[in-house]
């Protein structure tokens, strides 16, 4: 039974405030969770509560969200069994009462939701992945590592596309996949150096070079894969997240780095050429969050060739995912806990996808903490792949390290998801 809940303001990886929650039960057991924060957020995401006080952290303080946990949520949850996750989440949803969790804040609610799950796992004497996923939780995901950062994550200094990820899907274990990913990352550093490009890193630990086009990072990455001794495509594939809502306006996509303007169909054809020329196997947010009709075109043109993931389009919300399924707009959904704000609703989103043979791509945020909840969650929900940044920066590394710990613990029963995890690449 929950005895005490205590929230506080801590810093995330960008140095901005975020919420951390500690929880205790009657027996004195305790658990902790913290909440990440996005930069290229979808407009339909659950709302993170920020103080708006210009005298603290430029208005980004979260003291009010902290107060909501300590004075509103805590009294409502005392005495409840931490294992009753859905009850706990529903109580918080009702206390909030808004569609987008704007009254208490999704940052307040999610912190409690995750801390409860961790406490319950502890009480059950189980590692988190097994508590959440049962004995069948043995599928190790392909780590998709974001090794070139562009767009808002690199302050628009280089590529328009926000993320270029490598997927070491030909590996046999997560340990090997992490090794390959790291070797390609180190190899890319040398390639960039040779080309006279910067090796400074962006928000997710990837390099943020001042490239001349959105195609150039793909060329650099293929070279890095080869130089590291791997076969592009067969051993290590590539995924991109253009995060195109960020460069979309009134039906037009503006590629600043190439000085061009495209409509949805033209941008879909642009992607098609990239798929022809590079081992590209997944495109996330190829089109914008409001471009529902464009997504239909994108899906018609590219489904069966790559996994098409909706991030800003679906915001981990079953309402929008269901629309995507009904209208055939994509074949996979990005899954971010803080887009929807509770663990229960996140699990609902994953289940809806899997029931409809859609993929689920579990994700960190560009602003992170060292909390590795998503590593366990990815194994528990058998999502098969996740993205949690470059093999660089502590808050990114911690998720990959946790996955390697889980794999070691599972021993012979661990299964690496490999190519099978990617939809539409048969
Ligand atoms: P964000 O970016 O966390 O800044 O929203 C991640 C993404 O777009 O997938
Ligand atoms: Zn995205």
């Amino acid at each position: 039974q929950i005895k005490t809940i205590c929230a506080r303001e801590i810093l995330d990886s960008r140095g901005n405030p975020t919420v951390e929650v500690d929880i205790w039960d009657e027996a004195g057991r305790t658990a902790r969770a913290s909440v990440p924060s996005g930069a290229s957020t979808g407009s339909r995401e659950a709302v993170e509560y920020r103080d708006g006080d210009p005298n603290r952290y430029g208005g980004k303080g979260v003291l009010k969200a902290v107060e909501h946990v300590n004075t509103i949520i805590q009294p409502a949850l005392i005495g409840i069994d931490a294992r009753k996750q859905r009850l706990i989440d529903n109580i918080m949803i009702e206390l909030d009462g808004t569609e987008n969790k704007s009254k208490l804040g999704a940052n307040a609610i999610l912190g409690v939701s995750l801390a409860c799950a961790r406490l319950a796992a502890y009480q059950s004497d189980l590692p988190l992945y097994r508590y959440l996923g049962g004995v069948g939780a043995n599928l190790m995901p392909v780590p998709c590592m974001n090794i070139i950062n562009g767009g808002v994550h690199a302050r628009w200094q280089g590529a328009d596309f926000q993320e270029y990820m490598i997927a070491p899907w030909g590996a046999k274990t997560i340990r090997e996949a992490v090794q390959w990913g790291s070797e390609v990352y180190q190899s890319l550093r040398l390639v960039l150096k040779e080309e006279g490009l910067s090796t400074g890193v962006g928000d997710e630990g990837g390099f943020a070079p001042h490239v001349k086009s959105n195609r150039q990072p793909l060329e650099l990455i293929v070279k890095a894969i080869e130089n590291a001794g791997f076969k592009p495509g067969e051993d290590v594939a590539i995924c991109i997240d253009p995060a195109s809502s960020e460069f979309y306006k009134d039906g037009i996509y503006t590629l600043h780095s190439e000085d061009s303007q495209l409509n949805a169909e033209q941008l879909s054809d642009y992607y098609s050429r990239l798929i022809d020329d590079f081992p590209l196997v997944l495109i996330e947010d190829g089109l914008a969050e409001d471009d529902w009709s464009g997504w239909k075109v994108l899906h018609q043109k590219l489904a069966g060739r790559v996994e098409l993931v909706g991030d800003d389009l679906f915001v981990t919300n079953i309402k929008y995912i269901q629309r995507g399924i009904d209208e055939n707009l994509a074949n996979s959904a990005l899954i971010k806990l803080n887009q929807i704000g509770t663990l229960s609703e996140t699990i609902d989103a994953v289940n809806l996808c899997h029931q409809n043979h859609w993929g689920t791509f579990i994700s960190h945020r560009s602003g992170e903490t060292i909390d590795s909840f998503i590593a366990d969650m990815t194994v528990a929900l058998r999502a098969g792949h996740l993205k949690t940044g470059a093999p660089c920066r502590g808050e990114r590394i911690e998720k990959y390290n946790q996955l390697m710990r889980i794999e070691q613990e599972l021993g012979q029963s661990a299964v690496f998801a490999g190519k099978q995890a990617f939809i539409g690449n048969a």
Side-chain angles (χ1 to χ4, degrees):
Q1 283 177 356
I2 296 169
K3 186 169 176 225
T4 313
I5 302 175
C6 173
R8 68 181 65 85
E9 186 181 65
I10 62 165
L11 294 185
D12 72 12
S13 57
R14 272 191 283 255
N16 292 325
T18 190
V19 177
E20 176 173 85
V21 175
D22 287 353
I23 181 166
W24 286 265
D25 70 5
E26 303 274 4
R29 284 172 291 216
T30 181
R32 171 175 292 168
S34 52
V35 178
S37 174
S40 64
T41 47
S43 62
R44 292 183 290 269
E45 289 191 23
V47 173
E48 51 182 30
Y49 206 110
R50 299 260 173 211
D51 297 338
D53 171 1
N55 296 317
R56 293 188 75 251
Y57 292 115
K60 289 189 174 149
V62 292
L63 292 181
K64 283 182 191 149
V66 164
E67 192 183 310
H68 294 163
V69 173
N70 295 342
T71 63
I72 302 174
I73 295 175
Q74 173 177 230
L77 296 183
I78 286 174
I80 292 177
D81 184 343
R83 284 167 295 193
K84 298 211 161 117
Q85 186 74 44
R86 195 160 291 266
L87 173 68
I88 289 165
D89 289 343
N90 283 339
I91 289 172
M92 291 192 285
I93 290 166
E94 271 174 36
L95 272 179
D96 177 85
T98 67
E99 179 92 355
N100 58 3
K101 301 188 175 65
S102 54
K103 188 173 157 212
L104 298 179
N107 43 356
I109 293 171
L110 183 64
V112 175
S113 185
L114 301 185
C116 280
R118 232 190 221 122
L119 178 62
Y122 186 20
Q123 292 171 333
S124 310
D125 233 347
L126 291 169
L128 183 58
Y129 65 92
R130 186 161 306 140
Y131 169 73
L132 295 174
V135 285
N138 67 342
L139 190 67
M140 301 310 299
V142 177
C144 299
M145 298 171 156
N146 179 11
I147 61 173
I148 292 189
N149 296 183
V152 44
H153 292 173
R155 326 282 167 249
W156 300 103
Q157 294 291 304
D160 300 289
F161 295 177
Q162 180 177 282
E163 302 170 20
Y164 293 80
M165 294 166 270
I166 46 167
W169 67 358
K172 298 282 179 295
T173 61
I174 188 118
R175 173 162 290 275
E176 190 174 43
V178 167
Q179 181 198 324
W180 291 10
S182 168
E183 287 170 5
V184 173
Y185 180 74
Q186 301 302 341
S187 157
L188 179 60
R189 186 196 306 276
L190 299 177
V191 171
L192 292 170
K193 225 170 161 186
E194 269 168 27
E195 303 278 335
L197 290 162
S198 154
T199 54
V201 303
D203 286 355
E204 298 189 351
F207 301 112
H210 189 88
V211 291
K212 290 188 294 292
S213 70
N214 297 302
R215 184 176 263 269
Q216 195 185 359
L218 294 167
E219 292 162 357
L220 296 165
I221 289 172
V222 165
K223 201 164 171 202
I225 293 171
E226 285 169 347
N227 288 357
F230 301 107
K231 293 192 192 74
E234 203 174 312
D235 297 327
V236 182
I238 301 177
C239 313
I240 56 172
D241 177 9
S244 64
S245 303
E246 301 292 320
F247 53 83
Y248 173 79
K249 206 173 170 230
D250 302 330
I252 293 296
Y253 296 86
T254 302
L255 302 179
H256 307 92
S257 70
E258 301 172 23
D259 210 7
S260 68
Q261 297 204 315
L262 307 175
N263 63 26
E265 184 163 4
Q266 291 166 326
L267 185 54
S268 301
D269 290 334
Y270 182 105
Y271 294 137
S272 179
R273 290 192 295 276
L274 293 183
I275 299 167
D276 290 338
D277 298 344
F278 300 97
L280 192 59
V281 298
L282 179 151
I283 301 176
E284 175 189 329
D285 275 359
L287 295 178
E289 62 184 355
D290 295 324
D291 194 4
W292 295 88
S293 61
W295 273 90
K296 204 166 255 177
V297 176
L298 179 79
H299 184 263
Q300 275 162 5
K301 283 182 182 277
L302 303 183
R305 297 181 69 201
V306 286
E307 180 166 334
L308 294 166
V309 185
D311 172 13
D312 291 351
L313 185 69
F314 299 136
V315 292
T316 317
N317 188 321
I318 53 169
K319 190 165 103 188
Y320 303 115
I321 294 172
Q322 187 64 57
R323 178 170 172 192
I325 291 166
D326 293 342
E327 297 182 19
N328 242 331
L329 302 179
N331 54 27
S332 183
L334 201 77
I335 301 293
K336 289 167 167 165
L337 283 157
N338 78 330
Q339 277 183 330
I340 189 70
T342 65
L343 177 59
S344 299
E345 291 166 288
T346 304
I347 291 172
D348 290 345
V350 169
N351 288 341
L352 178 63
C353 289
H354 291 176
Q355 280 154 16
N356 288 280
H357 310 290
W358 273 35
T360 50
F361 192 30
I362 310 284
S363 173
H364 65 159
R365 298 307 302 246
S366 53
E368 266 292 335
T369 71
I370 55 157
D371 194 317
S372 59
F373 196 98
I374 58 166
D376 285 73
M377 188 178 82
T378 304
V379 177
L381 301 179
R382 303 183 66 81
H385 48 0
L386 93 164
K387 63 170 197 179
T388 180
C392 173
R393 296 181 59 135
E395 77 281 2
R396 314 293 149 187
I397 292 299
E398 188 51 23
K399 280 73 162 172
Y400 297 127
N401 286 344
Q402 175 67 1
L403 286 166
M404 293 196 286
R405 293 182 197 114
I406 293 172
E407 183 175 73
Q408 183 181 36
E409 191 169 288
L410 286 169
Q412 290 299 314
S413 67
V415 175
F416 185 62
K419 293 181 188 169
Q420 308 263 306
F422 291 74
I423 308 291
N425 283 281

